[in-house]
Each structure stands twice: as structure tokens, then as C-alpha cells.
Amino acid sequence: MSILRTIAMFIYLFGYMILHYSILRRAERAAAAGDTATVEQIVNQHIPRWSRGILKVTGVSLSVEGLENIPKDRPCVFVANHRSYYDIPLLLAGLEKPHGILAKEELEKIPLLNRWMKLLGCVFVQRDDVRASVRALNDATAIVEGGRSFVIFPEGTRYKGEEGGAGEFKAGAFRIAVKTGAPVVPVAVTGARALFEANGNRCRPGSVRIKIMSPIQTAGMSKAEQKQLPDAVRQSILAALK
């Protein structure tokens, strides 16, 4: 059954994008013309629908706590723990609307998916190239300065340890928030790894919880507070994973 679910997931994942190719092209034409309202309307409608479809096809139930903690009047930087490939569709479906993500460069090579991600405002990063990583962080900073929220996984890669743990939170990702003065919103994702990686990279049904915590204000932070920020956010997420 898990093999069938995995096949169904890939069919749905690309089938949706193929069936809605004309919508993608309309959004790309709008982006080229500077019509950001049309792009936003298409992205906000189709990306969460596509993400929820992935969860439905693979038998995943999602519960979300703390949506009221998301700032309503200004952009923020969502900081989440990273356990699974599922984390991206989970956050695209679970937050108040989809936001750009700091994603690994391999995703930029996937046809159709890469084009939707660019419309969303995702930034692709080469983790082994320091200069490219700095450019990616600067691009993400510009997006937040432009008034749009952004999602980062500060571990840089999926944490493969036991459920309830998290890897080191790298300081570089937090510069997006510090440079822009945007609040950091910690997000704890529980149960995602069991859906795929813990099952031999085959889809299985399960339940996932997303907990959105109160924003941490970065405007006016001292240098000492900025230095402590990555570990402080990590500790708050670890507490929420218990």
C-alpha cells in the first residue's frame, strides 16, 4: 500500500502542475508585466490547494495551532525545524498563506515545480558555496524588505535523529530577520519524518502537528541578543516538539 501511495503522490504532484500549466503561464506573464496582484492571487489559490492535495492523496492529517500568532500588519521570518521533504507542502498548506522558502538548489532543477517556486518567491541556495549562500541570503532579505514574509529552515538540512530533536540552527539564516527588523516566528513541526523517510522513502498515512509560536521582535536587538537568537529559537522549538 505504501508503494501505491508513493506512486499516487508523484502522479498527483506533477499531474496538478501539468493540468494547470495554462494557469502557470498566466501567472508568469503577469509577473513579467509587473502585475503582482494577479501573481499573488494565483499563487495563494493554487499552491495551498496543490499542497493540501498531496496530503490528502497520501493520507496525512494536519493540525495547526497558533495561527493567531502570525503578525497581521508586517512581514515576518518563519523559522521551522526540518525533518522531512514533507515540510514544504505542510507549511504551504498550514500557514495563513504560502510564503517563499529558502530552498536547496536541487529543487531548482525540477521542471514545473521550479517555476511555481519562483512565482512564490523562493530563493535557491548552494549550501557548499559560501558566496552563493551569501547572495541567497541577500535575495531573501530583499524579499522581506519588500514586504513579504519568508520561511527558513536554519538547520540547513533534514534532521535525521530521533523525533523531538533538532540540529544546530545556523546563525546566517537569522540575518534576514535582523537586517530587516522583521519578527521571527518559530514554527515546530512534529511527525513529518514518519510520513516518508522513516518508512524507507515510501509514503505512509499519519498525523502531523504544526505549532506556531509567538513572534520574537528583532528590531532594536543588541549584538549579544542577536548572537543568542538562533539557540533561543531552537530551544523554543524543541520545547514545543515534546
Side-chain angles (χ1 to χ4, degrees):
M1 181 61 74
S2 60
I3 293 176
L4 294 177
R5 285 186 184 275
T6 305
I7 294 171
M9 185 270 288
F10 280 106
I11 291 174
Y12 175 84
L13 191 154
F14 288 102
Y16 187 100
M17 292 187 287
I18 291 169
L19 287 174
H20 294 83
Y21 183 74
S22 62
I23 304 294
L24 170 64
R25 289 293 299 124
R26 182 157 69 91
E28 290 177 329
R29 288 194 295 270
D35 184 0
T36 57
T38 296
V39 174
E40 185 175 359
Q41 183 271 325
I42 291 173
V43 163
N44 289 350
Q45 177 183 357
H46 285 276
I47 289 183
R49 181 189 295 172
W50 171 80
S51 300
R52 288 191 293 266
I54 291 174
L55 304 184
K56 184 175 181 180
V57 165
T58 55
V60 177
S61 63
L62 172 63
S63 65
V64 182
E65 304 172 20
L67 284 169
E68 69 278 5
N69 290 323
I70 299 174
K72 305 296 190 296
D73 57 347
R74 60 180 306 188
C76 64
V77 177
F78 295 96
V79 175
N81 60 307
H82 195 17
R83 293 279 285 154
S84 172
Y85 288 119
Y86 265 91
D87 291 335
I88 290 178
L90 286 167
L91 292 179
L92 291 175
L95 296 177
E96 88 292 11
K97 66 178 183 178
H99 300 288
I101 298 169
L102 192 65
K104 61 181 183 178
E105 62 176 330
E106 288 84 353
L107 293 177
E108 191 176 13
K109 301 173 184 177
I110 301 177
L112 294 182
L113 179 64
N114 55 2
R115 292 162 67 177
W116 278 105
M117 292 182 74
K118 288 175 182 177
L119 287 172
L120 178 61
C122 293
V123 173
F124 301 97
V125 59
Q126 296 174 254
R127 289 173 295 183
D128 298 328
D129 186 324
V130 175
R131 290 185 179 179
S133 296
V134 170
R135 285 196 300 271
L137 290 175
N138 289 339
D139 290 343
T141 299
I143 287 172
V144 178
E145 287 176 337
R148 291 187 288 169
S149 296
F150 203 76
V151 177
I152 60 171
F153 298 107
E155 293 160 280
T157 188
R158 289 165 294 140
Y159 176 69
K160 300 175 178 62
E162 294 296 321
E163 189 67 49
E168 176 190 359
F169 280 19
K170 296 177 174 61
F174 289 87
R175 292 175 192 156
I176 300 170
V178 171
K179 283 185 177 181
T180 61
V184 169
V185 178
V187 179
V189 182
T190 307
R193 194 167 184 80
L195 305 176
F196 189 70
E197 288 85 350
N199 193 43
N201 289 340
R202 292 179 296 180
C203 296
R204 64 179 297 179
S207 299
V208 178
R209 184 189 70 167
I210 291 177
K211 184 172 183 180
I212 303 164
M213 285 161 279
S214 299
I216 299 171
Q217 303 301 325
T218 63
M221 268 191 170
S222 67
K223 292 293 185 181
E225 289 172 326
Q226 293 175 21
K227 186 175 181 179
Q228 295 167 358
L229 182 60
D231 191 57
V233 174
R234 180 177 180 271
Q235 292 303 322
S236 68
I237 289 177
L238 286 173
L241 294 175
K242 305 302 183 184

